Amino acid sequence: MDLPHTQEPRLTSLSHGGGCGCKIAPGVLTGLLRGTAMLPVPEELMVGIETSDDAAVYRLNDRQALVATTDFFMPIVDDPLDFGRIAATNAISDVYAMGATPIMALSLVGMPINTLSGETIARILEGGAMACRDAGIPIGGGHTIDSVEAIYGLVAFGLIDPDHVKRNAGARPGDVLILGKPLGVGIMSAALKKGQLGDEGYARMIGATTRLNTPGPDLARLDAVHAMTDVTGFGLAGHALEMARGSGCGLQLDWSAVPLLQDARDLAGQGFVTGASGRNWASYGGDVELAAGFADVDQALLSDPQTSGGLLVACAPDSAEAVLTIFRDHGFAEAAVIGRAVEGPGRLQVA
């Protein structure tokens, strides 16, 4: 995890918030975007901003739709190669979350060129290129600026059959909920920034955040998969609420079934919680019903911002094993059934 030049500052010291913890709080974002809903929408735009979905989807013809998204953020780790890998993996995830196959990316780069060496910046870009190679796509160009904080990410594009698009708004009462990756990335990043995350914990965090959500296209081809999203900056609670509101039903989570990164709960108990976790809860906590005696540490994990988090899938109960098999075939051994969709308003219950 050593920097190429010891005189350079740690990457995380240059950012006021790392990874998807940089996202604007959901309540604030809703207000900022309110006016854009009045813009004219062509009929070819299958998915826009109406349900805060993961990407835009534009129908090209009866067999193809273009999926387009962008994501970028400040450093979540100090190693420049790992930062680039994480940021690119996270950006491509939104393509997978719609069920699409990635086809190309563009780089978005903002760097403090008088603070970081060319070698460090090149390593960040190399990390992004590694993630794109893993996804089987080229980087076709991009844009760079001189920035006070280090910023890196991608514009990512994918293709999908319009009949296979999976939105975050299709869950049906009776569906089961399946989560593909364990939670706790924000907690671990907070510990890292304070120098309290060991090498094994760092390796677990990198393993989770650089794992591409490749099950997406295979899951999209299952008719029994009714909704899909990825869990990122708003935490599990926030993205589950988006699914509930968009689908017009309630979601219930069995907290004991939710997979967590090893040591994440202990670290949260020691106070390694991001500021974004609190902002998330302030934005949507009123729509979350917690079981009596629900611990503060678990509430922090529930709203913990995930960088390059897992897919959250709503599917018919009799297809749950097929969904889990797809996850496991792609190397997601910790995927688990964590709850269900129920009749009722778009709220979240956690027991």
Side-chain angles (χ1 to χ4, degrees):
M1 292 187 289
D2 292 334
L3 288 171
H5 299 284
T6 55
Q7 70 270 23
E8 288 188 20
R10 294 173 58 192
L11 286 179
T12 53
S13 73
L14 300 175
S15 57
H16 71 277
C20 286
C22 302
K23 292 180 75 168
I24 295 174
V28 177
L29 183 61
T30 298
L32 294 175
L33 294 178
R34 189 170 292 120
T36 62
M38 296 181 291
L39 294 172
V41 177
E43 63 179 21
E44 292 86 359
L45 187 63
M46 298 176 59
V47 181
I49 66 171
E50 56 278 356
T51 62
S52 303
D53 220 322
D54 299 297
V57 183
Y58 191 93
R59 183 191 297 270
L60 300 175
N61 52 56
D62 290 342
R63 299 294 301 276
Q64 292 179 311
L66 179 69
V67 175
T69 183
T70 185
D71 213 313
F72 52 89
F73 47 62
M74 282 82 82
I76 187 174
V77 296
D78 291 315
D79 184 281
L81 189 75
D82 287 342
F83 170 42
R85 291 172 65 204
I86 293 168
T89 302
N90 178 75
I92 298 168
S93 180
D94 285 339
V95 174
Y96 289 125
M98 304 304 297
T101 299
I103 57 170
M104 186 182 74
L106 305 174
S107 290
L108 298 173
V109 184
M111 293 291 155
I113 59 174
N114 293 323
T115 303
L116 295 179
S117 69
E119 180 183 354
T120 294
I121 296 171
R123 289 283 282 174
I124 294 170
L125 302 185
E126 181 184 352
M130 287 176 62
C132 289
R133 283 196 296 270
D134 289 344
I137 61 174
I139 297 177
H143 187 66
T144 60
I145 62 169
D146 185 2
S147 171
V148 175
E149 295 180 285
I151 298 169
Y152 178 68
L154 300 176
V155 179
F157 301 95
L159 285 177
I160 189 171
D161 185 321
D163 292 337
H164 294 161
V165 172
K166 300 300 180 183
R167 304 190 58 174
N168 68 351
R172 306 173 187 177
D175 281 354
V176 299
L177 304 175
I178 296 176
L179 180 63
K181 288 185 186 181
L183 303 180
V185 169
I187 300 294
M188 301 186 88
S189 70
L192 176 68
K193 195 163 187 177
K194 295 182 180 179
Q196 298 300 310
L197 186 67
D199 289 344
E200 291 184 1
Y202 183 80
R204 284 191 287 271
M205 186 179 81
I206 296 302
T209 53
T210 59
R211 182 180 300 163
L212 291 160
N213 278 318
T214 54
D218 288 341
L219 293 169
R221 286 188 281 270
L222 294 181
D223 290 339
V225 170
H226 300 142
M228 189 158 60
T229 189
D230 63 343
V231 178
T232 54
F234 299 154
L236 176 59
H239 293 284
L241 271 172
E242 287 180 342
M243 183 178 286
R245 292 164 177 163
S247 303
C249 64
L251 297 186
Q252 295 178 342
L253 300 183
D254 175 4
W255 183 246
S256 66
V258 175
L260 303 176
L261 287 167
Q262 184 177 330
D263 297 331
R265 194 173 191 277
D266 288 342
L267 288 168
Q270 295 171 41
F272 297 112
V273 177
T274 68
S277 177
R279 292 191 295 273
N280 282 343
W281 191 256
S283 293
Y284 56 61
D287 287 331
V288 181
E289 180 183 339
L290 300 176
F294 199 79
D296 290 344
V297 66
D298 292 316
Q299 179 182 310
L301 282 159
L302 186 62
S303 59
D304 185 48
Q306 303 305 289
T307 299
S308 191
L311 296 176
L312 178 64
V313 178
C315 65
D318 59 4
S319 71
E321 192 54 44
V323 169
L324 288 170
T325 297
I326 289 173
F327 272 115
R328 291 165 186 157
D329 287 347
H330 284 261
F332 291 75
E334 294 176 281
V337 175
I338 64 166
R340 62 194 181 110
V342 296
E343 297 279 0
R347 291 175 56 84
L348 182 65
Q349 295 177 312
V350 186

